[in-house]
Amino acid sequence: MIEIIQGDITTLHVDAIVNAANGALRGGGGVDGAIHRAAGPGLLQELKRFPGCPTGDAVITRGYNLPAKHVIHAVGPIWYGGTRMEDQLLAKTYHKSFLRATESGDIRSIAFPAISTGAYRFPKREATMIALTAMLEHEKEFDRIVACVFDEELAALYRGTLDFLRRRL
Ligand code: AR6
């Protein structure tokens, strides 16, 4: 089941939330900053075990003070006008996040923010299509997949795109 929720991903009671991180894995602004603030300092401590993470890949940690048991830190691509395989890299970011969740063995529900659509400037329409296509491909592996978006405009785009993609299946 895919659900679209408008709100703050740090408040969701799911087995794992996905973070839109950067390759250094040491925190940042946007959703990354919100997740670190809500999780507490244990999150950064655990992330220090990793030297970093390449674009298109993801690492998993515990959720500390978050309601979510796990955080999957995914590194989406920066948008360079579509000249650097950004579409493929964003799709890969979603697939790797799902892979980390299935590898963990105990994740039945997972929530994603709109990776790369903030500071990384990925065009929203294209990013939404890529995100929901990946979610539809993994729908049967999980009880619940949540697309958590911050603003009403993006929530409407997600709803319209999900309807469009489901009609095509
Ligand atoms: N819950 C859900 N969505 C949120 C939240 C929240 N609490 N806060 C922001 N968003 P961004 P990126 C939305 O910039 O583009 C960071 O500094 C936001 O409206 O967080 O992948 C990292 O450290 C937008 O739609 O991530 C990296 O350096 C979406 O989350 C860099 O930004 C993603 O925006 C990553 O950039």
Side-chain angles (χ1 to χ4, degrees):
M1 184 179 75
I2 297 173
E3 230 178 291
I4 297 160
I5 290 181
Q6 190 194 340
D8 179 358
I9 201 167
T10 65
T11 65
L12 297 183
H13 291 257
V14 285
D15 296 329
I17 61 170
V18 176
N19 181 15
N22 60 59
L25 298 179
R26 297 295 178 266
V31 70
D32 196 4
I35 289 172
H36 275 266
R37 278 192 299 278
L43 186 64
L44 182 59
Q45 277 308 112
E46 185 175 349
L47 279 169
K48 285 183 178 160
R49 291 194 293 127
F50 299 97
C53 180
T55 300
D57 210 340
V59 306
I60 187 165
T61 66
R62 290 165 49 203
Y64 298 90
N65 300 333
L66 289 162
K69 282 199 293 275
H70 303 276
V71 181
I72 295 168
H73 305 263
V75 184
I78 298 173
W79 179 257
Y80 290 106
T83 58
R84 301 196 193 176
M85 317 260 284
E86 292 95 324
D87 284 13
Q88 290 94 321
L89 282 169
L90 186 59
K92 190 176 165 202
T93 308
Y94 279 94
H95 290 303
K96 285 282 185 164
S97 302
F98 280 119
L99 177 66
R100 296 294 169 250
T102 47
E103 281 171 349
S104 105
D106 64 345
I107 295 174
R108 301 297 315 153
S109 56
I110 180 167
F112 287 85
I115 299 171
S116 289
T117 64
Y120 283 0
R121 304 182 316 272
F122 207 107
K124 291 196 169 66
R125 194 168 289 278
E126 243 170 300
T128 301
M129 193 73 97
I130 291 165
L132 289 169
T133 300
M135 289 178 198
L136 284 164
E137 281 177 43
H138 293 273
E139 192 173 18
K140 293 198 169 60
E141 299 160 28
F142 297 87
D143 296 336
R144 205 176 158 212
I145 298 174
V146 179
C148 178
V149 294
F150 223 28
D151 59 278
E152 175 49 41
E153 203 184 321
L154 196 52
L157 180 60
Y158 263 69
R159 284 193 290 270
T161 306
L162 185 57
D163 287 347
F164 168 78
L165 289 172
R166 282 211 192 281
R167 277 199 301 273
R168 257 191 4 184
L169 284 177

PDB file of all heavy atoms in Angstrom, residues 45-83:
ATOM      1  N   GLN A  45      26.701   9.996  16.133  1.00  0.00           N
ATOM      2  CA  GLN A  45      27.733   9.083  16.639  1.00  0.00           C
ATOM      3  C   GLN A  45      27.779   7.816  15.796  1.00  0.00           C
ATOM      4  O   GLN A  45      28.847   7.371  15.393  1.00  0.00           O
ATOM      5  CB  GLN A  45      27.437   8.703  18.104  1.00  0.00           C
ATOM      6  CG  GLN A  45      27.910   9.717  19.108  1.00  0.00           C
ATOM      7  CD  GLN A  45      29.378  10.071  18.884  1.00  0.00           C
ATOM      8  OE1 GLN A  45      29.684  11.207  18.491  1.00  0.00           O
ATOM      9  NE2 GLN A  45      30.264   9.098  19.079  1.00  0.00           N
ATOM     10  N   GLU A  46      26.611   7.234  15.543  1.00  0.00           N
ATOM     11  CA  GLU A  46      26.585   5.992  14.756  1.00  0.00           C
ATOM     12  C   GLU A  46      27.042   6.245  13.320  1.00  0.00           C
ATOM     13  O   GLU A  46      27.752   5.430  12.727  1.00  0.00           O
ATOM     14  CB  GLU A  46      25.173   5.368  14.774  1.00  0.00           C
ATOM     15  CG  GLU A  46      25.156   4.021  14.061  1.00  0.00           C
ATOM     16  CD  GLU A  46      23.835   3.272  14.142  1.00  0.00           C
ATOM     17  OE1 GLU A  46      22.948   3.664  14.924  1.00  0.00           O
ATOM     18  OE2 GLU A  46      23.724   2.269  13.392  1.00  0.00           O
ATOM     19  N   LEU A  47      26.669   7.399  12.767  1.00  0.00           N
ATOM     20  CA  LEU A  47      27.044   7.700  11.373  1.00  0.00           C
ATOM     21  C   LEU A  47      28.554   7.850  11.213  1.00  0.00           C
ATOM     22  O   LEU A  47      29.093   7.656  10.117  1.00  0.00           O
ATOM     23  CB  LEU A  47      26.328   8.966  10.896  1.00  0.00           C
ATOM     24  CG  LEU A  47      24.879   8.762  10.446  1.00  0.00           C
ATOM     25  CD1 LEU A  47      24.199  10.106  10.247  1.00  0.00           C
ATOM     26  CD2 LEU A  47      24.795   7.919   9.172  1.00  0.00           C
ATOM     27  N   LYS A  48      29.243   8.186  12.307  1.00  0.00           N
ATOM     28  CA  LYS A  48      30.700   8.366  12.225  1.00  0.00           C
ATOM     29  C   LYS A  48      31.424   7.058  11.901  1.00  0.00           C
ATOM     30  O   LYS A  48      32.588   7.071  11.519  1.00  0.00           O
ATOM     31  CB  LYS A  48      31.232   8.994  13.521  1.00  0.00           C
ATOM     32  CG  LYS A  48      30.900  10.474  13.592  1.00  0.00           C
ATOM     33  CD  LYS A  48      31.485  11.132  14.833  1.00  0.00           C
ATOM     34  CE  LYS A  48      31.156  12.619  14.825  1.00  0.00           C
ATOM     35  NZ  LYS A  48      31.267  13.225  16.159  1.00  0.00           N
ATOM     36  N   ARG A  49      30.708   5.933  12.058  1.00  0.00           N
ATOM     37  CA  ARG A  49      31.297   4.642  11.647  1.00  0.00           C
ATOM     38  C   ARG A  49      31.474   4.554  10.146  1.00  0.00           C
ATOM     39  O   ARG A  49      32.224   3.728   9.640  1.00  0.00           O
ATOM     40  CB  ARG A  49      30.387   3.485  12.091  1.00  0.00           C
ATOM     41  CG  ARG A  49      30.332   3.266  13.583  1.00  0.00           C
ATOM     42  CD  ARG A  49      29.708   1.914  13.880  1.00  0.00           C
ATOM     43  NE  ARG A  49      28.301   1.887  13.498  1.00  0.00           N
ATOM     44  CZ  ARG A  49      27.744   0.970  12.709  1.00  0.00           C
ATOM     45  NH1 ARG A  49      28.444   0.002  12.196  1.00  0.00           N
ATOM     46  NH2 ARG A  49      26.450   1.033  12.424  1.00  0.00           N
ATOM     47  N   PHE A  50      30.723   5.369   9.402  1.00  0.00           N
ATOM     48  CA  PHE A  50      30.789   5.320   7.934  1.00  0.00           C
ATOM     49  C   PHE A  50      31.696   6.445   7.429  1.00  0.00           C
ATOM     50  O   PHE A  50      31.564   7.593   7.873  1.00  0.00           O
ATOM     51  CB  PHE A  50      29.401   5.510   7.320  1.00  0.00           C
ATOM     52  CG  PHE A  50      28.391   4.468   7.714  1.00  0.00           C
ATOM     53  CD1 PHE A  50      27.495   4.699   8.752  1.00  0.00           C
ATOM     54  CD2 PHE A  50      28.340   3.248   7.047  1.00  0.00           C
ATOM     55  CE1 PHE A  50      26.562   3.743   9.116  1.00  0.00           C
ATOM     56  CE2 PHE A  50      27.407   2.282   7.414  1.00  0.00           C
ATOM     57  CZ  PHE A  50      26.507   2.533   8.444  1.00  0.00           C
ATOM     58  N   PRO A  51      32.591   6.144   6.493  1.00  0.00           N
ATOM     59  CA  PRO A  51      33.437   7.197   5.943  1.00  0.00           C
ATOM     60  C   PRO A  51      32.637   8.182   5.078  1.00  0.00           C
ATOM     61  O   PRO A  51      33.074   9.295   4.821  1.00  0.00           O
ATOM     62  CB  PRO A  51      34.453   6.432   5.086  1.00  0.00           C
ATOM     63  CG  PRO A  51      33.804   5.122   4.777  1.00  0.00           C
ATOM     64  CD  PRO A  51      32.879   4.825   5.924  1.00  0.00           C
ATOM     65  N   GLY A  52      31.481   7.760   4.623  1.00  0.00           N
ATOM     66  CA  GLY A  52      30.655   8.561   3.728  1.00  0.00           C
ATOM     67  C   GLY A  52      29.815   7.617   2.890  1.00  0.00           C
ATOM     68  O   GLY A  52      29.796   6.417   3.164  1.00  0.00           O
ATOM     69  N   CYS A  53      29.139   8.160   1.897  1.00  0.00           N
ATOM     70  CA  CYS A  53      28.259   7.319   1.076  1.00  0.00           C
ATOM     71  C   CYS A  53      28.193   7.939  -0.318  1.00  0.00           C
ATOM     72  O   CYS A  53      27.969   9.147  -0.451  1.00  0.00           O
ATOM     73  CB  CYS A  53      26.872   7.296   1.726  1.00  0.00           C
ATOM     74  SG  CYS A  53      25.663   6.298   0.854  1.00  0.00           S
ATOM     75  N   PRO A  54      28.381   7.123  -1.368  1.00  0.00           N
ATOM     76  CA  PRO A  54      28.327   7.692  -2.716  1.00  0.00           C
ATOM     77  C   PRO A  54      26.908   8.100  -3.123  1.00  0.00           C
ATOM     78  O   PRO A  54      25.930   7.555  -2.596  1.00  0.00           O
ATOM     79  CB  PRO A  54      28.838   6.565  -3.619  1.00  0.00           C
ATOM     80  CG  PRO A  54      28.969   5.356  -2.787  1.00  0.00           C
ATOM     81  CD  PRO A  54      28.689   5.693  -1.362  1.00  0.00           C
ATOM     82  N   THR A  55      26.790   9.012  -4.045  1.00  0.00           N
ATOM     83  CA  THR A  55      25.491   9.402  -4.594  1.00  0.00           C
ATOM     84  C   THR A  55      24.799   8.174  -5.187  1.00  0.00           C
ATOM     85  O   THR A  55      25.430   7.361  -5.859  1.00  0.00           O
ATOM     86  CB  THR A  55      25.688  10.473  -5.694  1.00  0.00           C
ATOM     87  OG1 THR A  55      26.328  11.591  -5.106  1.00  0.00           O
ATOM     88  CG2 THR A  55      24.356  10.915  -6.282  1.00  0.00           C
ATOM     89  N   GLY A  56      23.509   8.042  -4.878  1.00  0.00           N
ATOM     90  CA  GLY A  56      22.747   6.902  -5.399  1.00  0.00           C
ATOM     91  C   GLY A  56      22.729   5.718  -4.450  1.00  0.00           C
ATOM     92  O   GLY A  56      22.104   4.702  -4.739  1.00  0.00           O
ATOM     93  N   ASP A  57      23.407   5.839  -3.313  1.00  0.00           N
ATOM     94  CA  ASP A  57      23.468   4.722  -2.365  1.00  0.00           C
ATOM     95  C   ASP A  57      22.875   5.144  -1.008  1.00  0.00           C
ATOM     96  O   ASP A  57      22.467   6.300  -0.837  1.00  0.00           O
ATOM     97  CB  ASP A  57      24.921   4.257  -2.211  1.00  0.00           C
ATOM     98  CG  ASP A  57      25.014   2.768  -1.889  1.00  0.00           C
ATOM     99  OD1 ASP A  57      24.010   2.186  -1.415  1.00  0.00           O
ATOM    100  OD2 ASP A  57      26.091   2.189  -2.104  1.00  0.00           O
ATOM    101  N   ALA A  58      22.832   4.224  -0.055  1.00  0.00           N
ATOM    102  CA  ALA A  58      22.194   4.494   1.233  1.00  0.00           C
ATOM    103  C   ALA A  58      22.810   3.625   2.323  1.00  0.00           C
ATOM    104  O   ALA A  58      23.283   2.524   2.040  1.00  0.00           O
ATOM    105  CB  ALA A  58      20.699   4.207   1.135  1.00  0.00           C
ATOM    106  N   VAL A  59      22.802   4.146   3.556  1.00  0.00           N
ATOM    107  CA  VAL A  59      23.241   3.361   4.721  1.00  0.00           C
ATOM    108  C   VAL A  59      22.131   3.399   5.774  1.00  0.00           C
ATOM    109  O   VAL A  59      21.309   4.318   5.785  1.00  0.00           O
ATOM    110  CB  VAL A  59      24.561   3.884   5.342  1.00  0.00           C
ATOM    111  CG1 VAL A  59      25.666   3.976   4.299  1.00  0.00           C
ATOM    112  CG2 VAL A  59      24.357   5.229   6.042  1.00  0.00           C
ATOM    113  N   ILE A  60      22.132   2.396   6.656  1.00  0.00           N
ATOM    114  CA  ILE A  60      21.064   2.310   7.658  1.00  0.00           C
ATOM    115  C   ILE A  60      21.632   2.455   9.072  1.00  0.00           C
ATOM    116  O   ILE A  60      22.710   1.949   9.369  1.00  0.00           O
ATOM    117  CB  ILE A  60      20.262   0.990   7.478  1.00  0.00           C
ATOM    118  CG1 ILE A  60      19.042   0.950   8.406  1.00  0.00           C
ATOM    119  CG2 ILE A  60      21.127  -0.234   7.672  1.00  0.00           C
ATOM    120  CD1 ILE A  60      18.029  -0.131   8.019  1.00  0.00           C
ATOM    121  N   THR A  61      20.890   3.181   9.918  1.00  0.00           N
ATOM    122  CA  THR A  61      21.243   3.306  11.344  1.00  0.00           C
ATOM    123  C   THR A  61      19.975   3.068  12.171  1.00  0.00           C
ATOM    124  O   THR A  61      18.877   2.961  11.631  1.00  0.00           O
ATOM    125  CB  THR A  61      21.754   4.719  11.702  1.00  0.00           C
ATOM    126  OG1 THR A  61      20.681   5.660  11.534  1.00  0.00           O
ATOM    127  CG2 THR A  61      22.944   5.131  10.862  1.00  0.00           C
ATOM    128  N   ARG A  62      20.154   3.094  13.493  1.00  0.00           N
ATOM    129  CA  ARG A  62      18.994   3.075  14.385  1.00  0.00           C
ATOM    130  C   ARG A  62      18.320   4.443  14.384  1.00  0.00           C
ATOM    131  O   ARG A  62      18.876   5.422  13.899  1.00  0.00           O
ATOM    132  CB  ARG A  62      19.445   2.713  15.798  1.00  0.00           C
ATOM    133  CG  ARG A  62      19.889   1.259  15.916  1.00  0.00           C
ATOM    134  CD  ARG A  62      20.671   1.021  17.192  1.00  0.00           C
ATOM    135  NE  ARG A  62      19.969   1.577  18.340  1.00  0.00           N
ATOM    136  CZ  ARG A  62      20.560   1.911  19.481  1.00  0.00           C
ATOM    137  NH1 ARG A  62      21.862   1.758  19.627  1.00  0.00           N
ATOM    138  NH2 ARG A  62      19.852   2.405  20.481  1.00  0.00           N
ATOM    139  N   GLY A  63      17.132   4.509  14.990  1.00  0.00           N
ATOM    140  CA  GLY A  63      16.365   5.753  14.971  1.00  0.00           C
ATOM    141  C   GLY A  63      16.485   6.599  16.241  1.00  0.00           C
ATOM    142  O   GLY A  63      15.962   7.700  16.299  1.00  0.00           O
ATOM    143  N   TYR A  64      17.126   6.040  17.281  1.00  0.00           N
ATOM    144  CA  TYR A  64      17.334   6.776  18.542  1.00  0.00           C
ATOM    145  C   TYR A  64      16.025   7.366  19.066  1.00  0.00           C
ATOM    146  O   TYR A  64      15.082   6.615  19.261  1.00  0.00           O
ATOM    147  CB  TYR A  64      18.483   7.786  18.380  1.00  0.00           C
ATOM    148  CG  TYR A  64      19.753   7.027  18.063  1.00  0.00           C
ATOM    149  CD1 TYR A  64      20.110   6.768  16.725  1.00  0.00           C
ATOM    150  CD2 TYR A  64      20.524   6.470  19.071  1.00  0.00           C
ATOM    151  CE1 TYR A  64      21.222   5.988  16.421  1.00  0.00           C
ATOM    152  CE2 TYR A  64      21.640   5.692  18.774  1.00  0.00           C
ATOM    153  CZ  TYR A  64      21.971   5.463  17.462  1.00  0.00           C
ATOM    154  OH  TYR A  64      23.060   4.669  17.166  1.00  0.00           O
ATOM    155  N   ASN A  65      15.919   8.677  19.271  1.00  0.00           N
ATOM    156  CA  ASN A  65      14.702   9.239  19.891  1.00  0.00           C
ATOM    157  C   ASN A  65      13.528   9.400  18.933  1.00  0.00           C
ATOM    158  O   ASN A  65      12.479   9.921  19.330  1.00  0.00           O
ATOM    159  CB  ASN A  65      15.014  10.607  20.517  1.00  0.00           C
ATOM    160  CG  ASN A  65      16.095  10.493  21.582  1.00  0.00           C
ATOM    161  OD1 ASN A  65      16.247   9.444  22.201  1.00  0.00           O
ATOM    162  ND2 ASN A  65      16.840  11.556  21.781  1.00  0.00           N
ATOM    163  N   LEU A  66      13.690   8.967  17.707  1.00  0.00           N
ATOM    164  CA  LEU A  66      12.576   9.049  16.748  1.00  0.00           C
ATOM    165  C   LEU A  66      11.563   7.942  17.027  1.00  0.00           C
ATOM    166  O   LEU A  66      11.938   6.875  17.531  1.00  0.00           O
ATOM    167  CB  LEU A  66      13.097   8.849  15.318  1.00  0.00           C
ATOM    168  CG  LEU A  66      13.932   9.958  14.703  1.00  0.00           C
ATOM    169  CD1 LEU A  66      14.703   9.412  13.504  1.00  0.00           C
ATOM    170  CD2 LEU A  66      13.041  11.122  14.284  1.00  0.00           C
ATOM    171  N   PRO A  67      10.300   8.138  16.652  1.00  0.00           N
ATOM    172  CA  PRO A  67       9.351   7.026  16.733  1.00  0.00           C
ATOM    173  C   PRO A  67       9.745   5.881  15.787  1.00  0.00           C
ATOM    174  O   PRO A  67       9.425   4.727  16.053  1.00  0.00           O
ATOM    175  CB  PRO A  67       8.010   7.635  16.321  1.00  0.00           C
ATOM    176  CG  PRO A  67       8.218   9.089  16.124  1.00  0.00           C
ATOM    177  CD  PRO A  67       9.673   9.392  16.216  1.00  0.00           C
ATOM    178  N   ALA A  68      10.448   6.194  14.713  1.00  0.00           N
ATOM    179  CA  ALA A  68      10.890   5.160  13.758  1.00  0.00           C
ATOM    180  C   ALA A  68      12.086   4.403  14.337  1.00  0.00           C
ATOM    181  O   ALA A  68      12.986   5.008  14.917  1.00  0.00           O
ATOM    182  CB  ALA A  68      11.274   5.809  12.435  1.00  0.00           C
ATOM    183  N   LYS A  69      12.090   3.069  14.157  1.00  0.00           N
ATOM    184  CA  LYS A  69      13.183   2.239  14.696  1.00  0.00           C
ATOM    185  C   LYS A  69      14.500   2.438  13.939  1.00  0.00           C
ATOM    186  O   LYS A  69      15.570   2.270  14.485  1.00  0.00           O
ATOM    187  CB  LYS A  69      12.808   0.752  14.579  1.00  0.00           C
ATOM    188  CG  LYS A  69      11.839   0.269  15.640  1.00  0.00           C
ATOM    189  CD  LYS A  69      11.852  -1.251  15.769  1.00  0.00           C
ATOM    190  CE  LYS A  69      11.307  -2.001  14.559  1.00  0.00           C
ATOM    191  NZ  LYS A  69       9.850  -2.179  14.505  1.00  0.00           N
ATOM    192  N   HIS A  70      14.387   2.731  12.644  1.00  0.00           N
ATOM    193  CA  HIS A  70      15.573   2.858  11.784  1.00  0.00           C
ATOM    194  C   HIS A  70      15.514   4.141  10.959  1.00  0.00           C
ATOM    195  O   HIS A  70      14.428   4.624  10.638  1.00  0.00           O
ATOM    196  CB  HIS A  70      15.648   1.695  10.786  1.00  0.00           C
ATOM    197  CG  HIS A  70      15.666   0.341  11.399  1.00  0.00           C
ATOM    198  ND1 HIS A  70      16.805  -0.263  11.872  1.00  0.00           N
ATOM    199  CD2 HIS A  70      14.662  -0.548  11.613  1.00  0.00           C
ATOM    200  CE1 HIS A  70      16.520  -1.462  12.341  1.00  0.00           C
ATOM    201  NE2 HIS A  70      15.218  -1.662  12.208  1.00  0.00           N
ATOM    202  N   VAL A  71      16.716   4.614  10.588  1.00  0.00           N
ATOM    203  CA  VAL A  71      16.807   5.685   9.585  1.00  0.00           C
ATOM    204  C   VAL A  71      17.676   5.165   8.443  1.00  0.00           C
ATOM    205  O   VAL A  71      18.766   4.626   8.669  1.00  0.00           O
ATOM    206  CB  VAL A  71      17.433   6.976  10.156  1.00  0.00           C
ATOM    207  CG1 VAL A  71      17.476   8.061   9.075  1.00  0.00           C
ATOM    208  CG2 VAL A  71      16.651   7.478  11.369  1.00  0.00           C
ATOM    209  N   ILE A  72      17.187   5.311   7.234  1.00  0.00           N
ATOM    210  CA  ILE A  72      17.970   4.954   6.050  1.00  0.00           C
ATOM    211  C   ILE A  72      18.437   6.265   5.427  1.00  0.00           C
ATOM    212  O   ILE A  72      17.623   7.086   5.008  1.00  0.00           O
ATOM    213  CB  ILE A  72      17.127   4.104   5.080  1.00  0.00           C
ATOM    214  CG1 ILE A  72      16.795   2.762   5.753  1.00  0.00           C
ATOM    215  CG2 ILE A  72      17.866   3.892   3.761  1.00  0.00           C
ATOM    216  CD1 ILE A  72      15.745   1.938   5.057  1.00  0.00           C
ATOM    217  N   HIS A  73      19.748   6.481   5.441  1.00  0.00           N
ATOM    218  CA  HIS A  73      20.319   7.742   4.966  1.00  0.00           C
ATOM    219  C   HIS A  73      20.676   7.572   3.490  1.00  0.00           C
ATOM    220  O   HIS A  73      21.607   6.835   3.160  1.00  0.00           O
ATOM    221  CB  HIS A  73      21.563   8.098   5.787  1.00  0.00           C
ATOM    222  CG  HIS A  73      21.282   8.140   7.262  1.00  0.00           C
ATOM    223  ND1 HIS A  73      21.017   9.310   7.929  1.00  0.00           N
ATOM    224  CD2 HIS A  73      21.176   7.137   8.179  1.00  0.00           C
ATOM    225  CE1 HIS A  73      20.782   9.031   9.207  1.00  0.00           C
ATOM    226  NE2 HIS A  73      20.868   7.721   9.382  1.00  0.00           N
ATOM    227  N   ALA A  74      19.905   8.225   2.629  1.00  0.00           N
ATOM    228  CA  ALA A  74      20.053   8.048   1.191  1.00  0.00           C
ATOM    229  C   ALA A  74      20.620   9.324   0.582  1.00  0.00           C
ATOM    230  O   ALA A  74      20.223  10.425   0.952  1.00  0.00           O
ATOM    231  CB  ALA A  74      18.682   7.746   0.581  1.00  0.00           C
ATOM    232  N   VAL A  75      21.544   9.155  -0.343  1.00  0.00           N
ATOM    233  CA  VAL A  75      22.186  10.323  -0.962  1.00  0.00           C
ATOM    234  C   VAL A  75      21.691  10.474  -2.395  1.00  0.00           C
ATOM    235  O   VAL A  75      22.093   9.740  -3.305  1.00  0.00           O
ATOM    236  CB  VAL A  75      23.731  10.183  -0.939  1.00  0.00           C
ATOM    237  CG1 VAL A  75      24.369  11.453  -1.498  1.00  0.00           C
ATOM    238  CG2 VAL A  75      24.223   9.910   0.479  1.00  0.00           C
ATOM    239  N   GLY A  76      20.768  11.418  -2.566  1.00  0.00           N
ATOM    240  CA  GLY A  76      20.236  11.693  -3.903  1.00  0.00           C
ATOM    241  C   GLY A  76      21.184  12.582  -4.688  1.00  0.00           C
ATOM    242  O   GLY A  76      22.123  13.167  -4.122  1.00  0.00           O
ATOM    243  N   PRO A  77      20.956  12.695  -6.003  1.00  0.00           N
ATOM    244  CA  PRO A  77      21.834  13.521  -6.837  1.00  0.00           C
ATOM    245  C   PRO A  77      21.494  15.007  -6.746  1.00  0.00           C
ATOM    246  O   PRO A  77      20.334  15.381  -6.570  1.00  0.00           O
ATOM    247  CB  PRO A  77      21.536  13.003  -8.253  1.00  0.00           C
ATOM    248  CG  PRO A  77      20.113  12.543  -8.183  1.00  0.00           C
ATOM    249  CD  PRO A  77      19.918  12.005  -6.793  1.00  0.00           C
ATOM    250  N   ILE A  78      22.509  15.839  -6.904  1.00  0.00           N
ATOM    251  CA  ILE A  78      22.304  17.283  -7.111  1.00  0.00           C
ATOM    252  C   ILE A  78      21.880  17.448  -8.583  1.00  0.00           C
ATOM    253  O   ILE A  78      22.390  16.745  -9.459  1.00  0.00           O
ATOM    254  CB  ILE A  78      23.614  18.060  -6.854  1.00  0.00           C
ATOM    255  CG1 ILE A  78      24.063  17.863  -5.402  1.00  0.00           C
ATOM    256  CG2 ILE A  78      23.469  19.539  -7.194  1.00  0.00           C
ATOM    257  CD1 ILE A  78      25.444  18.454  -5.095  1.00  0.00           C
ATOM    258  N   TRP A  79      20.915  18.351  -8.832  1.00  0.00           N
ATOM    259  CA  TRP A  79      20.458  18.581 -10.209  1.00  0.00           C
ATOM    260  C   TRP A  79      21.416  19.516 -10.939  1.00  0.00           C
ATOM    261  O   TRP A  79      21.681  20.630 -10.494  1.00  0.00           O
ATOM    262  CB  TRP A  79      19.050  19.195 -10.184  1.00  0.00           C
ATOM    263  CG  TRP A  79      18.502  19.482 -11.548  1.00  0.00           C
ATOM    264  CD1 TRP A  79      18.424  20.707 -12.153  1.00  0.00           C
ATOM    265  CD2 TRP A  79      17.954  18.543 -12.475  1.00  0.00           C
ATOM    266  NE1 TRP A  79      17.860  20.587 -13.405  1.00  0.00           N
ATOM    267  CE2 TRP A  79      17.569  19.267 -13.626  1.00  0.00           C
ATOM    268  CE3 TRP A  79      17.769  17.150 -12.449  1.00  0.00           C
ATOM    269  CZ2 TRP A  79      16.986  18.648 -14.738  1.00  0.00           C
ATOM    270  CZ3 TRP A  79      17.193  16.533 -13.555  1.00  0.00           C
ATOM    271  CH2 TRP A  79      16.809  17.275 -14.671  1.00  0.00           C
ATOM    272  N   TYR A  80      21.990  19.009 -12.044  1.00  0.00           N
ATOM    273  CA  TYR A  80      22.869  19.831 -12.894  1.00  0.00           C
ATOM    274  C   TYR A  80      22.243  20.013 -14.271  1.00  0.00           C
ATOM    275  O   TYR A  80      22.927  19.886 -15.294  1.00  0.00           O
ATOM    276  CB  TYR A  80      24.242  19.159 -13.038  1.00  0.00           C
ATOM    277  CG  TYR A  80      25.076  19.173 -11.777  1.00  0.00           C
ATOM    278  CD1 TYR A  80      25.235  18.011 -11.029  1.00  0.00           C
ATOM    279  CD2 TYR A  80      25.710  20.343 -11.341  1.00  0.00           C
ATOM    280  CE1 TYR A  80      26.005  18.012  -9.862  1.00  0.00           C
ATOM    281  CE2 TYR A  80      26.467  20.350 -10.179  1.00  0.00           C
ATOM    282  CZ  TYR A  80      26.613  19.177  -9.450  1.00  0.00           C
ATOM    283  OH  TYR A  80      27.365  19.182  -8.303  1.00  0.00           O
ATOM    284  N   GLY A  81      20.934  20.222 -14.314  1.00  0.00           N
ATOM    285  CA  GLY A  81      20.264  20.456 -15.594  1.00  0.00           C
ATOM    286  C   GLY A  81      19.994  19.190 -16.387  1.00  0.00           C
ATOM    287  O   GLY A  81      19.624  19.251 -17.558  1.00  0.00           O
ATOM    288  N   GLY A  82      20.170  18.038 -15.770  1.00  0.00           N
ATOM    289  CA  GLY A  82      19.886  16.773 -16.451  1.00  0.00           C
ATOM    290  C   GLY A  82      21.056  16.235 -17.254  1.00  0.00           C
ATOM    291  O   GLY A  82      20.914  15.292 -18.028  1.00  0.00           O
ATOM    292  N   THR A  83      22.224  16.784 -17.027  1.00  0.00           N
ATOM    293  CA  THR A  83      23.389  16.405 -17.843  1.00  0.00           C
ATOM    294  C   THR A  83      24.260  15.330 -17.191  1.00  0.00           C
ATOM    295  O   THR A  83      25.221  14.873 -17.788  1.00  0.00           O
ATOM    296  CB  THR A  83      24.285  17.638 -18.086  1.00  0.00           C
ATOM    297  OG1 THR A  83      24.687  18.157 -16.803  1.00  0.00           O
ATOM    298  CG2 THR A  83      23.538  18.728 -18.849  1.00  0.00           C
TER     299      THR A  83
END
